[in-house]
Amino acid sequence: MFFNLAFFALVLPFSVLAYAVAPRRLRWVVLLGISYYCFYHTSKKLIVFLVATTLSCYLCGLWLASIMDKRDAALAVKGAKRRAVREEYKKHMRHVVALAVIFNLGLLVTCKYLGFLLSVAEPLLSLAGVATPIEAPRIGMPLGISFYTFMALSYVIDVYRGSVKPDRNLGRIALFISFFPQMLEGPIGRYSHTAESLTEGKGITRSNLYQGTLRIFWGIAKKLIVADRLNAFVETVFDGYAEFDGGVIALAAVLYTIQLYCDFSGTIDVAIGIGRIFDVHLPENFRQPFFSRTASEFWQRWHITLGAWFKDYVYYPVSLSAPCKQLTSAARKRFGIHYGPLLASSVALFCVWFGNGLWHGSGSQYIFFGMYYFVLIMLGGLIEPVAISAAERLGIDRDSLPYRLFQTARTLAIVFVGELIFRANGLGAGLEMLSSIAHNFTLGAFSRWDPYHMHLDIHDRNIVIAMLVVVFVIGYLKEHGLDVSAKIDSQSTLVRWVVLIVLILAIVIFGAYGYDYTPVDPMYAQF
Amino acid sequence: MSANETVIEILEEFCPGVDLETTTTLVDDRILGSLTMVALVAELEDSFDIEIPPVEIVATNFNSAAAISALVERLSDEYDD
């Protein structure tokens, strides 16, 4: 249903048409109806999980509103001890937030992690005399549960923090949580950012229709021309890595990273493009990640909305909790202004990266993936002052082009290793593949390349390289302040139509679909 | 000592060598990163006996000594008995 031919040929045009002809005050109802139809079509009875999350967060928002009303009334009383009053009501509000978090994470855990938890608990249950193995109930996973749960929780926490007013309109909350372009892979939006534009019901303008359509086809081009074309090769190597030498495995790690980027960012382009048609501005999820100079910077440019969610709702709350603040102050006095906060932040960073790994799934490779970045970012922080002083002593300009290229190359290597672990069929397989790269790296396989067996011939190679050059140039220009899509939008109608038609023709001619290719579902939808 | 003077005294430790009277890009130029930000927030909370919620930890509130002073004054007013 989502982002396939039927969706683009039927559902999306119908949505645009229905939205355009509906009275302005009912347009958001059209979006809500289509969102729930799409969700039901893919998840069937699991829609109860979406409804439960929506209702729970809506009710918790109202509950917080009623506590805030009582608090404000208490504060208005002359002579009231403002601080004591605030603290008292804040405690009540924390309980409401805790309830929302426990309930909704409980739903997420039930759908996504129950089998994993039972497998972990089995030895203990066995010791306690419970008959094992215990079969986990097959509930299934509602579409986009990891994404919409985080969005729903962000609403409740933002109400608690006072950055969002509690919404008394259940339909608006339901639409914010279920808006259909976001349902598959995000981006993980915030209520303060999108809710208003979702329900404003602005008409469809020519500019938005063109910009949105262009963005949709750009996303499809990245996915169909690059990502899906690389899929068979990547799958062949990762599934049968034992028969390949280190050179081929290293190439597979690089091409998997490219595949994932083109697939995920392409799907996000489609989501943002659809939003744009309805004048709903969804947040960007990627900002030229391969230009990053450090692993930390990479994560500020890759899956931005997930990183921002963890920063706002895990990193800061943990860092600013009373024990961590005490640790920060003590460590700062003991270890100085750099190492003190770094050591104290390690607790919060550990929570963030453990959560980030676990969010992707319960497999050991995902936990390892999170810990890999935790260790690297901590090491980066520890080494930074030494690297700065070493560069000064050696007379190296850290802003010079060669040094920046060195940093980018180093970051890319870190990312490729991380994605290899992420994609491997289990942690053991990932470590064996890395070992093969380290101990069995040869280029021999490339001279006796069998395109049929490897599912990658010279035709595929040339198309992938040509498309990647286009992606790189557009990314490079954006990095230097030139937004190509805005530039196209400012051209004459003829030029704009030519660009769109060329893009569609490129997809039709060079897209990896049909006889030789297996359709590939959007890769992040499984998370 | 005024709030602004206290803020500047605190910031001198976190941003050595920076002209705190004129700089308005402490966060934008990454003089204050996420690590130092947490330590700074902890120090401000202790010094002014306030709580700075995460929602207030945004660039506009921390880009200059004046912005930080305005933030602590606003939060101090909210907490005043």
Side-chain angles (χ1 to χ4, degrees), chain A residues 452-476:
Chain A
Y452 180 76
H453 181 56
M454 303 306 287
H455 302 283
L456 203 63
D457 59 21
I458 194 161
H459 170 74
D460 290 317
R461 188 196 65 187
N462 291 343
I463 291 174
V464 167
I465 290 174
M467 183 64 185
L468 288 180
V469 168
V470 176
V471 172
F472 173 80
V473 169
I474 289 174
Y476 181 84

PDB file of all heavy atoms in Angstrom, chain A residues 452-476:
ATOM      1  N   TYR A 452      26.920 -12.092 -13.420  1.00  0.00           N
ATOM      2  CA  TYR A 452      25.681 -12.847 -13.228  1.00  0.00           C
ATOM      3  C   TYR A 452      25.558 -13.288 -11.772  1.00  0.00           C
ATOM      4  O   TYR A 452      24.512 -13.125 -11.130  1.00  0.00           O
ATOM      5  CB  TYR A 452      25.662 -14.068 -14.155  1.00  0.00           C
ATOM      6  CG  TYR A 452      24.402 -14.895 -14.016  1.00  0.00           C
ATOM      7  CD1 TYR A 452      23.196 -14.462 -14.582  1.00  0.00           C
ATOM      8  CD2 TYR A 452      24.418 -16.099 -13.311  1.00  0.00           C
ATOM      9  CE1 TYR A 452      22.039 -15.203 -14.439  1.00  0.00           C
ATOM     10  CE2 TYR A 452      23.260 -16.847 -13.160  1.00  0.00           C
ATOM     11  CZ  TYR A 452      22.072 -16.392 -13.731  1.00  0.00           C
ATOM     12  OH  TYR A 452      20.934 -17.124 -13.578  1.00  0.00           O
ATOM     13  N   HIS A 453      26.663 -13.818 -11.249  1.00  0.00           N
ATOM     14  CA  HIS A 453      26.668 -14.300  -9.865  1.00  0.00           C
ATOM     15  C   HIS A 453      26.576 -13.142  -8.855  1.00  0.00           C
ATOM     16  O   HIS A 453      25.920 -13.244  -7.810  1.00  0.00           O
ATOM     17  CB  HIS A 453      27.943 -15.118  -9.626  1.00  0.00           C
ATOM     18  CG  HIS A 453      28.045 -15.673  -8.235  1.00  0.00           C
ATOM     19  ND1 HIS A 453      27.072 -16.476  -7.673  1.00  0.00           N
ATOM     20  CD2 HIS A 453      29.006 -15.540  -7.277  1.00  0.00           C
ATOM     21  CE1 HIS A 453      27.438 -16.812  -6.443  1.00  0.00           C
ATOM     22  NE2 HIS A 453      28.599 -16.248  -6.177  1.00  0.00           N
ATOM     23  N   MET A 454      27.233 -12.028  -9.198  1.00  0.00           N
ATOM     24  CA  MET A 454      27.292 -10.898  -8.259  1.00  0.00           C
ATOM     25  C   MET A 454      26.106  -9.943  -8.415  1.00  0.00           C
ATOM     26  O   MET A 454      25.954  -9.018  -7.622  1.00  0.00           O
ATOM     27  CB  MET A 454      28.589 -10.090  -8.463  1.00  0.00           C
ATOM     28  CG  MET A 454      29.868 -10.895  -8.320  1.00  0.00           C
ATOM     29  SD  MET A 454      29.987 -11.778  -6.767  1.00  0.00           S
ATOM     30  CE  MET A 454      30.303 -10.466  -5.631  1.00  0.00           C
ATOM     31  N   HIS A 455      25.305 -10.130  -9.429  1.00  0.00           N
ATOM     32  CA  HIS A 455      24.131  -9.273  -9.663  1.00  0.00           C
ATOM     33  C   HIS A 455      24.506  -7.796  -9.839  1.00  0.00           C
ATOM     34  O   HIS A 455      23.777  -6.904  -9.412  1.00  0.00           O
ATOM     35  CB  HIS A 455      23.118  -9.391  -8.517  1.00  0.00           C
ATOM     36  CG  HIS A 455      22.639 -10.778  -8.283  1.00  0.00           C
ATOM     37  ND1 HIS A 455      21.711 -11.403  -9.087  1.00  0.00           N
ATOM     38  CD2 HIS A 455      22.985 -11.694  -7.350  1.00  0.00           C
ATOM     39  CE1 HIS A 455      21.491 -12.616  -8.654  1.00  0.00           C
ATOM     40  NE2 HIS A 455      22.259 -12.841  -7.603  1.00  0.00           N
ATOM     41  N   LEU A 456      25.661  -7.581 -10.394  1.00  0.00           N
ATOM     42  CA  LEU A 456      26.101  -6.196 -10.615  1.00  0.00           C
ATOM     43  C   LEU A 456      26.988  -6.186 -11.862  1.00  0.00           C
ATOM     44  O   LEU A 456      28.171  -6.564 -11.789  1.00  0.00           O
ATOM     45  CB  LEU A 456      26.886  -5.709  -9.385  1.00  0.00           C
ATOM     46  CG  LEU A 456      26.963  -4.198  -9.155  1.00  0.00           C
ATOM     47  CD1 LEU A 456      25.590  -3.597  -8.919  1.00  0.00           C
ATOM     48  CD2 LEU A 456      27.863  -3.886  -7.963  1.00  0.00           C
ATOM     49  N   ASP A 457      26.430  -5.757 -12.994  1.00  0.00           N
ATOM     50  CA  ASP A 457      27.258  -5.743 -14.212  1.00  0.00           C
ATOM     51  C   ASP A 457      27.719  -4.322 -14.524  1.00  0.00           C
ATOM     52  O   ASP A 457      27.434  -3.379 -13.783  1.00  0.00           O
ATOM     53  CB  ASP A 457      26.494  -6.375 -15.384  1.00  0.00           C
ATOM     54  CG  ASP A 457      25.189  -5.637 -15.682  1.00  0.00           C
ATOM     55  OD1 ASP A 457      25.088  -4.459 -15.277  1.00  0.00           O
ATOM     56  OD2 ASP A 457      24.285  -6.230 -16.276  1.00  0.00           O
ATOM     57  N   ILE A 458      28.409  -4.184 -15.644  1.00  0.00           N
ATOM     58  CA  ILE A 458      29.005  -2.885 -15.984  1.00  0.00           C
ATOM     59  C   ILE A 458      27.923  -1.822 -16.232  1.00  0.00           C
ATOM     60  O   ILE A 458      28.111  -0.646 -15.910  1.00  0.00           O
ATOM     61  CB  ILE A 458      29.944  -3.035 -17.210  1.00  0.00           C
ATOM     62  CG1 ILE A 458      30.817  -1.794 -17.348  1.00  0.00           C
ATOM     63  CG2 ILE A 458      29.175  -3.329 -18.491  1.00  0.00           C
ATOM     64  CD1 ILE A 458      32.041  -2.019 -18.184  1.00  0.00           C
ATOM     65  N   HIS A 459      26.769  -2.270 -16.731  1.00  0.00           N
ATOM     66  CA  HIS A 459      25.633  -1.379 -16.975  1.00  0.00           C
ATOM     67  C   HIS A 459      25.135  -0.808 -15.628  1.00  0.00           C
ATOM     68  O   HIS A 459      24.949   0.402 -15.474  1.00  0.00           O
ATOM     69  CB  HIS A 459      24.554  -2.218 -17.681  1.00  0.00           C
ATOM     70  CG  HIS A 459      23.239  -1.553 -17.814  1.00  0.00           C
ATOM     71  ND1 HIS A 459      23.014  -0.542 -18.704  1.00  0.00           N
ATOM     72  CD2 HIS A 459      22.054  -1.776 -17.175  1.00  0.00           C
ATOM     73  CE1 HIS A 459      21.748  -0.163 -18.603  1.00  0.00           C
ATOM     74  NE2 HIS A 459      21.147  -0.889 -17.691  1.00  0.00           N
ATOM     75  N   ASP A 460      24.971  -1.722 -14.648  1.00  0.00           N
ATOM     76  CA  ASP A 460      24.543  -1.275 -13.303  1.00  0.00           C
ATOM     77  C   ASP A 460      25.565  -0.298 -12.719  1.00  0.00           C
ATOM     78  O   ASP A 460      25.204   0.730 -12.152  1.00  0.00           O
ATOM     79  CB  ASP A 460      24.423  -2.486 -12.358  1.00  0.00           C
ATOM     80  CG  ASP A 460      23.252  -3.385 -12.712  1.00  0.00           C
ATOM     81  OD1 ASP A 460      22.186  -2.856 -13.008  1.00  0.00           O
ATOM     82  OD2 ASP A 460      23.429  -4.614 -12.687  1.00  0.00           O
ATOM     83  N   ARG A 461      26.838  -0.701 -12.852  1.00  0.00           N
ATOM     84  CA  ARG A 461      27.902   0.123 -12.262  1.00  0.00           C
ATOM     85  C   ARG A 461      27.866   1.541 -12.837  1.00  0.00           C
ATOM     86  O   ARG A 461      27.933   2.527 -12.098  1.00  0.00           O
ATOM     87  CB  ARG A 461      29.267  -0.530 -12.551  1.00  0.00           C
ATOM     88  CG  ARG A 461      30.427   0.126 -11.828  1.00  0.00           C
ATOM     89  CD  ARG A 461      31.744  -0.267 -12.424  1.00  0.00           C
ATOM     90  NE  ARG A 461      31.886   0.222 -13.788  1.00  0.00           N
ATOM     91  CZ  ARG A 461      32.895  -0.085 -14.607  1.00  0.00           C
ATOM     92  NH1 ARG A 461      33.814  -0.940 -14.210  1.00  0.00           N
ATOM     93  NH2 ARG A 461      32.968   0.420 -15.823  1.00  0.00           N
ATOM     94  N   ASN A 462      27.767   1.653 -14.152  1.00  0.00           N
ATOM     95  CA  ASN A 462      27.794   2.980 -14.779  1.00  0.00           C
ATOM     96  C   ASN A 462      26.586   3.828 -14.363  1.00  0.00           C
ATOM     97  O   ASN A 462      26.721   5.024 -14.102  1.00  0.00           O
ATOM     98  CB  ASN A 462      27.832   2.841 -16.311  1.00  0.00           C
ATOM     99  CG  ASN A 462      29.158   2.268 -16.765  1.00  0.00           C
ATOM    100  OD1 ASN A 462      30.139   2.275 -16.005  1.00  0.00           O
ATOM    101  ND2 ASN A 462      29.194   1.753 -17.977  1.00  0.00           N
ATOM    102  N   ILE A 463      25.417   3.185 -14.284  1.00  0.00           N
ATOM    103  CA  ILE A 463      24.208   3.938 -13.892  1.00  0.00           C
ATOM    104  C   ILE A 463      24.332   4.422 -12.444  1.00  0.00           C
ATOM    105  O   ILE A 463      24.029   5.584 -12.134  1.00  0.00           O
ATOM    106  CB  ILE A 463      22.943   3.060 -14.069  1.00  0.00           C
ATOM    107  CG1 ILE A 463      22.683   2.837 -15.553  1.00  0.00           C
ATOM    108  CG2 ILE A 463      21.730   3.693 -13.403  1.00  0.00           C
ATOM    109  CD1 ILE A 463      21.556   1.883 -15.842  1.00  0.00           C
ATOM    110  N   VAL A 464      24.807   3.531 -11.569  1.00  0.00           N
ATOM    111  CA  VAL A 464      24.955   3.909 -10.152  1.00  0.00           C
ATOM    112  C   VAL A 464      25.946   5.067 -10.026  1.00  0.00           C
ATOM    113  O   VAL A 464      25.662   6.074  -9.334  1.00  0.00           O
ATOM    114  CB  VAL A 464      25.405   2.700  -9.307  1.00  0.00           C
ATOM    115  CG1 VAL A 464      25.872   3.159  -7.921  1.00  0.00           C
ATOM    116  CG2 VAL A 464      24.267   1.699  -9.157  1.00  0.00           C
ATOM    117  N   ILE A 465      27.072   4.948 -10.713  1.00  0.00           N
ATOM    118  CA  ILE A 465      28.089   6.015 -10.607  1.00  0.00           C
ATOM    119  C   ILE A 465      27.523   7.337 -11.131  1.00  0.00           C
ATOM    120  O   ILE A 465      27.675   8.392 -10.497  1.00  0.00           O
ATOM    121  CB  ILE A 465      29.383   5.620 -11.364  1.00  0.00           C
ATOM    122  CG1 ILE A 465      30.089   4.490 -10.609  1.00  0.00           C
ATOM    123  CG2 ILE A 465      30.319   6.818 -11.517  1.00  0.00           C
ATOM    124  CD1 ILE A 465      31.288   3.907 -11.312  1.00  0.00           C
ATOM    125  N   ALA A 466      26.845   7.290 -12.266  1.00  0.00           N
ATOM    126  CA  ALA A 466      26.297   8.534 -12.847  1.00  0.00           C
ATOM    127  C   ALA A 466      25.290   9.178 -11.885  1.00  0.00           C
ATOM    128  O   ALA A 466      25.327  10.395 -11.657  1.00  0.00           O
ATOM    129  CB  ALA A 466      25.629   8.221 -14.182  1.00  0.00           C
ATOM    130  N   MET A 467      24.418   8.365 -11.301  1.00  0.00           N
ATOM    131  CA  MET A 467      23.404   8.918 -10.388  1.00  0.00           C
ATOM    132  C   MET A 467      24.073   9.458  -9.116  1.00  0.00           C
ATOM    133  O   MET A 467      23.657  10.504  -8.583  1.00  0.00           O
ATOM    134  CB  MET A 467      22.376   7.831 -10.042  1.00  0.00           C
ATOM    135  CG  MET A 467      21.234   8.309  -9.171  1.00  0.00           C
ATOM    136  SD  MET A 467      20.199   9.556  -9.968  1.00  0.00           S
ATOM    137  CE  MET A 467      19.089   9.965  -8.630  1.00  0.00           C
ATOM    138  N   LEU A 468      25.096   8.736  -8.640  1.00  0.00           N
ATOM    139  CA  LEU A 468      25.768   9.208  -7.420  1.00  0.00           C
ATOM    140  C   LEU A 468      26.490  10.531  -7.667  1.00  0.00           C
ATOM    141  O   LEU A 468      26.580  11.371  -6.761  1.00  0.00           O
ATOM    142  CB  LEU A 468      26.744   8.149  -6.898  1.00  0.00           C
ATOM    143  CG  LEU A 468      26.093   6.915  -6.255  1.00  0.00           C
ATOM    144  CD1 LEU A 468      27.147   5.926  -5.782  1.00  0.00           C
ATOM    145  CD2 LEU A 468      25.188   7.305  -5.085  1.00  0.00           C
ATOM    146  N   VAL A 469      26.992  10.718  -8.887  1.00  0.00           N
ATOM    147  CA  VAL A 469      27.627  12.003  -9.210  1.00  0.00           C
ATOM    148  C   VAL A 469      26.583  13.120  -9.093  1.00  0.00           C
ATOM    149  O   VAL A 469      26.846  14.182  -8.513  1.00  0.00           O
ATOM    150  CB  VAL A 469      28.255  11.962 -10.633  1.00  0.00           C
ATOM    151  CG1 VAL A 469      28.647  13.367 -11.092  1.00  0.00           C
ATOM    152  CG2 VAL A 469      29.468  11.044 -10.651  1.00  0.00           C
ATOM    153  N   VAL A 470      25.383  12.856  -9.618  1.00  0.00           N
ATOM    154  CA  VAL A 470      24.307  13.862  -9.537  1.00  0.00           C
ATOM    155  C   VAL A 470      23.954  14.139  -8.066  1.00  0.00           C
ATOM    156  O   VAL A 470      23.844  15.302  -7.638  1.00  0.00           O
ATOM    157  CB  VAL A 470      23.045  13.380 -10.302  1.00  0.00           C
ATOM    158  CG1 VAL A 470      21.899  14.370 -10.130  1.00  0.00           C
ATOM    159  CG2 VAL A 470      23.357  13.193 -11.781  1.00  0.00           C
ATOM    160  N   VAL A 471      23.800  13.047  -7.279  1.00  0.00           N
ATOM    161  CA  VAL A 471      23.465  13.203  -5.848  1.00  0.00           C
ATOM    162  C   VAL A 471      24.563  13.995  -5.139  1.00  0.00           C
ATOM    163  O   VAL A 471      24.285  14.895  -4.339  1.00  0.00           O
ATOM    164  CB  VAL A 471      23.272  11.811  -5.179  1.00  0.00           C
ATOM    165  CG1 VAL A 471      23.124  11.953  -3.661  1.00  0.00           C
ATOM    166  CG2 VAL A 471      22.055  11.107  -5.753  1.00  0.00           C
ATOM    167  N   PHE A 472      25.830  13.675  -5.473  1.00  0.00           N
ATOM    168  CA  PHE A 472      26.954  14.357  -4.818  1.00  0.00           C
ATOM    169  C   PHE A 472      26.963  15.846  -5.176  1.00  0.00           C
ATOM    170  O   PHE A 472      27.119  16.698  -4.294  1.00  0.00           O
ATOM    171  CB  PHE A 472      28.281  13.704  -5.242  1.00  0.00           C
ATOM    172  CG  PHE A 472      29.484  14.447  -4.740  1.00  0.00           C
ATOM    173  CD1 PHE A 472      29.923  14.275  -3.433  1.00  0.00           C
ATOM    174  CD2 PHE A 472      30.166  15.345  -5.562  1.00  0.00           C
ATOM    175  CE1 PHE A 472      31.022  14.983  -2.963  1.00  0.00           C
ATOM    176  CE2 PHE A 472      31.256  16.061  -5.092  1.00  0.00           C
ATOM    177  CZ  PHE A 472      31.693  15.873  -3.788  1.00  0.00           C
ATOM    178  N   VAL A 473      26.795  16.152  -6.452  1.00  0.00           N
ATOM    179  CA  VAL A 473      26.859  17.566  -6.891  1.00  0.00           C
ATOM    180  C   VAL A 473      25.742  18.374  -6.211  1.00  0.00           C
ATOM    181  O   VAL A 473      25.987  19.468  -5.693  1.00  0.00           O
ATOM    182  CB  VAL A 473      26.759  17.664  -8.432  1.00  0.00           C
ATOM    183  CG1 VAL A 473      26.558  19.107  -8.873  1.00  0.00           C
ATOM    184  CG2 VAL A 473      28.023  17.101  -9.069  1.00  0.00           C
ATOM    185  N   ILE A 474      24.528  17.797  -6.180  1.00  0.00           N
ATOM    186  CA  ILE A 474      23.409  18.516  -5.544  1.00  0.00           C
ATOM    187  C   ILE A 474      23.688  18.710  -4.046  1.00  0.00           C
ATOM    188  O   ILE A 474      23.461  19.785  -3.486  1.00  0.00           O
ATOM    189  CB  ILE A 474      22.085  17.749  -5.779  1.00  0.00           C
ATOM    190  CG1 ILE A 474      21.687  17.887  -7.259  1.00  0.00           C
ATOM    191  CG2 ILE A 474      20.969  18.273  -4.882  1.00  0.00           C
ATOM    192  CD1 ILE A 474      20.490  17.071  -7.675  1.00  0.00           C
ATOM    193  N   GLY A 475      24.225  17.659  -3.403  1.00  0.00           N
ATOM    194  CA  GLY A 475      24.574  17.753  -1.977  1.00  0.00           C
ATOM    195  C   GLY A 475      25.681  18.771  -1.742  1.00  0.00           C
ATOM    196  O   GLY A 475      25.626  19.563  -0.802  1.00  0.00           O
ATOM    197  N   TYR A 476      26.691  18.772  -2.634  1.00  0.00           N
ATOM    198  CA  TYR A 476      27.818  19.702  -2.500  1.00  0.00           C
ATOM    199  C   TYR A 476      27.328  21.152  -2.621  1.00  0.00           C
ATOM    200  O   TYR A 476      27.719  22.019  -1.843  1.00  0.00           O
ATOM    201  CB  TYR A 476      28.860  19.394  -3.584  1.00  0.00           C
ATOM    202  CG  TYR A 476      30.079  20.271  -3.523  1.00  0.00           C
ATOM    203  CD1 TYR A 476      31.134  19.960  -2.673  1.00  0.00           C
ATOM    204  CD2 TYR A 476      30.163  21.432  -4.302  1.00  0.00           C
ATOM    205  CE1 TYR A 476      32.249  20.784  -2.592  1.00  0.00           C
ATOM    206  CE2 TYR A 476      31.266  22.256  -4.236  1.00  0.00           C
ATOM    207  CZ  TYR A 476      32.313  21.926  -3.377  1.00  0.00           C
ATOM    208  OH  TYR A 476      33.404  22.743  -3.292  1.00  0.00           O
TER     209      TYR A 476
END
